[in-house]
Amino acid sequence: MTADSPTIPDTSTRRAPHGWRWAPAWVLTFVALWPAPGYAEAVMVLGALAAIARLLLDRFRDGARLLSSGAWALTSALFAAYWLPQAISAVDAVDTTRALREAAVDLRYLPFLWLVAASVANAPARRTTFNGLAIIVAIWTLDALAQVVFGTSPLFWGLDQLKQAISGRPMCTAEQMAGIDRLSGFLGPCNRKLGVVMASLSPFLLFVAARRMQVAGWLLASAAIGVVVLLAGARAAWITYALVLVFSGWKLLGWKRLAGVFAFGALLLAVLTVASPQVRERMRLTTHALTANEAGVDTALSGRGQIWSAAGCMIVRHPVNGVGARGFREAFPACDASAEGRPAWGQGPAFHAHQIILEILSETGVIGLLLWLAGAALAWRAWRYATPQAKDRARPAMLALAVTVFPLNTHLAFYSTFWGGLTLMLAALYAGSLLARDDE
């Protein structure tokens, strides 16, 4: 080579970015298909298999190309904190066969969580994933507002028509359609989780709106989501969303303007209480707590006082490893102190404890609670020692995860397929974005 020949740069030691370019597509498809649980579950399983195949090709051949070592460790540890209590509780569960089967089936979450973490492992993938989640939440918000105006969710109507064309059966039964008592949105009246889903995923839209349009964007997005969360009727979602507004808005707005936002929210709630029979009923139930007696409090909590009493009974009888994950309904009749009366939720046993600490203690015992606390400590330690840049890029996922597991609230079942999958996905998004090693 002559002296004036062009120099060819040496790229032999240049590190390829972490992640996998197809990982965001898997995650966003999984979330978008939540109205059709069977298809969403299929996407999750296929994504888990794809992650295993990717591992066989890359992880053991060319180092940690899928994730950084820190993201590998934290994602796996958070899964272990969720899954090990389930496995340990299955040993002497009320329904051992089912508990063992559930523990075995839930192993599918681990490779899927690696895939989710890989979807935010570098800056371009993270932008795609977080912006994609923001777009999905925005579409769901507009769809729910359309239901307020027209009486029907366009997304749910389209899915229902498609299902009837394919299988000849609607998404929901006639009884479920007739019994709708709140805004249901894209999930439909047979899956009344709109409020809690919107509240938990709202940070992704709020942070994007604030980044694109500053204060105006945050205010517009927060108001739109707030109307949906209020009309969806779940008071647990109201608490979750209030936490999101506080921790996403105080730096952007300052405390005085944020107080104004909550004053507007209180005014909006008052207007909806007058205008909406559903919101008025939720407020009526809430006022029962002021009667200062056990029956009034239980009515205000929609029967959760009775459920929590049964959970306490299970904790006393099975303190070490609980009655088994998802064994609450089988153990409930033996611990129901008010079996003679009709429960506030209707007929049949309660399916879960409706509160994260009581669910963990009653179904997985003290061992389960200690493992969950160990996972929370690891997640907090990773946040505490992360750089400011890492915290900034992980903040939407961190806030979504934190408000979802906030213990001073009521909750859906964390060991159910839907809510467990959502919570674990948020945990993986948090670990993957916090501990990503960007090439920038």
Side-chain angles (χ1 to χ4, degrees):
M1 181 178 295
T2 63
D4 57 349
S5 298
T7 302
I8 300 175
D10 181 13
T11 60
S12 60
T13 61
R14 184 177 298 172
R15 176 180 294 173
H18 292 289
W20 180 26
R21 64 176 181 172
W22 292 107
W26 284 108
V27 175
L28 296 175
T29 302
F30 169 67
V31 174
L33 287 175
W34 279 349
Y39 293 105
E41 183 76 6
V43 167
M44 187 188 71
V45 172
L46 291 174
L49 294 175
I52 293 174
R54 181 74 179 185
L55 284 175
L56 294 175
L57 292 173
D58 287 338
R59 170 67 176 169
F60 305 111
R61 183 190 66 185
D62 193 22
R65 290 181 57 188
L66 193 65
L67 291 171
S68 69
S69 57
W72 272 110
L74 184 57
T75 304
S76 302
L78 294 179
F79 169 79
Y82 175 89
W83 182 81
L84 282 177
Q86 183 181 17
I88 295 171
S89 72
V91 175
D92 59 347
V94 173
D95 188 346
T96 304
T97 302
R98 181 186 178 187
L100 288 171
R101 183 177 65 250
E102 291 289 335
V105 169
D106 281 357
L107 283 171
R108 72 196 189 281
Y109 284 126
L110 180 57
F112 184 71
L113 294 188
W114 291 334
L115 177 66
V116 174
S119 73
V120 290
N122 60 69
R126 190 165 51 254
R127 278 195 298 271
T128 300
T129 301
F130 282 2
N131 288 342
L133 289 173
I135 291 171
I136 290 173
V137 174
I139 292 172
W140 289 346
T141 302
L142 294 175
D143 173 75
L145 294 176
Q147 184 181 3
V148 174
V149 176
F150 302 110
T152 301
S153 159
L155 285 177
F156 179 76
W157 181 85
L159 289 171
D160 187 56
Q161 295 299 309
L162 182 62
K163 188 174 189 301
Q164 291 191 53
I166 295 174
S167 65
R169 296 192 303 273
M171 295 279 288
C172 302
T173 65
E175 292 80 7
Q176 291 169 329
M177 295 294 291
I180 184 171
D181 63 348
R182 63 187 68 180
L183 191 68
S184 57
F186 70 100
L187 292 171
C190 46
N191 189 2
R192 299 185 299 174
K193 301 183 180 75
L194 177 67
V196 290
V197 170
M198 294 295 295
S200 288
L201 296 187
S202 61
F204 295 104
L205 177 56
L206 292 179
F207 276 95
V208 168
R211 187 174 67 247
R212 297 291 178 88
M213 300 172 60
Q214 300 300 317
V215 173
W218 188 92
L219 290 174
L220 180 62
S222 63
I225 299 175
V227 171
V228 172
V229 170
L230 287 175
L231 289 175
R235 288 167 293 175
W238 298 358
I239 296 173
T240 299
Y241 191 57
L243 292 171
V244 171
L245 293 180
V246 169
F247 289 100
S248 67
W250 73 273
K251 277 190 175 182
L252 182 67
L253 303 178
W255 289 114
K256 291 184 179 180
R257 286 195 290 180
L258 186 61
V261 170
F262 277 94
F264 174 77
L267 177 62
L268 179 62
L269 178 59
V271 171
L272 291 176
T273 300
V274 175
S276 169
Q278 293 83 7
V279 176
R280 186 162 58 249
E281 176 63 17
R282 307 310 290 175
M283 295 302 295
R284 186 188 68 80
L285 284 175
T286 303
T287 58
H288 279 289
L290 302 177
T291 60
N293 60 58
E294 184 177 348
V297 174
D298 188 56
T299 300
L301 295 172
S302 301
R304 286 176 176 81
Q306 181 179 350
I307 294 172
W308 293 343
S309 174
C313 165
M314 296 178 204
I315 294 168
V316 171
R317 293 184 181 183
H318 305 270
V320 179
N321 65 339
V323 300
R326 303 303 288 156
F328 194 93
R329 71 182 72 186
E330 283 79 15
F332 180 79
C335 280
D336 184 11
S338 306
E340 298 81 8
R342 180 182 174 86
W345 59 87
Q347 297 180 347
F351 288 171
H352 59 97
H354 289 268
Q355 207 283 327
I356 183 171
I357 296 176
L358 292 178
E359 179 185 354
I360 294 168
L361 279 173
S362 61
E363 296 190 8
T364 65
V366 173
I367 293 176
L369 182 61
L370 290 176
L371 286 168
W372 272 74
L373 289 175
L378 289 172
W380 168 247
R381 186 180 185 277
W383 179 265
R384 180 182 178 186
Y385 291 104
T387 64
Q389 294 82 3
K391 291 179 180 180
D392 284 342
R393 66 181 179 238
R395 205 172 299 276
M398 179 279 294
L399 182 55
L401 177 62
V403 298
T404 298
V405 299
F406 179 65
L408 302 180
N409 200 358
T410 60
H411 306 89
L412 301 179
F414 285 94
Y415 280 105
S416 66
T417 298
F418 178 80
W419 202 243
L422 181 148
T423 305
L424 287 172
M425 181 194 75
L426 294 178
L429 289 173
Y430 165 72
S433 55
L434 183 70
L435 299 175
R437 287 209 302 253
D438 290 346
D439 291 338
E440 297 173 329

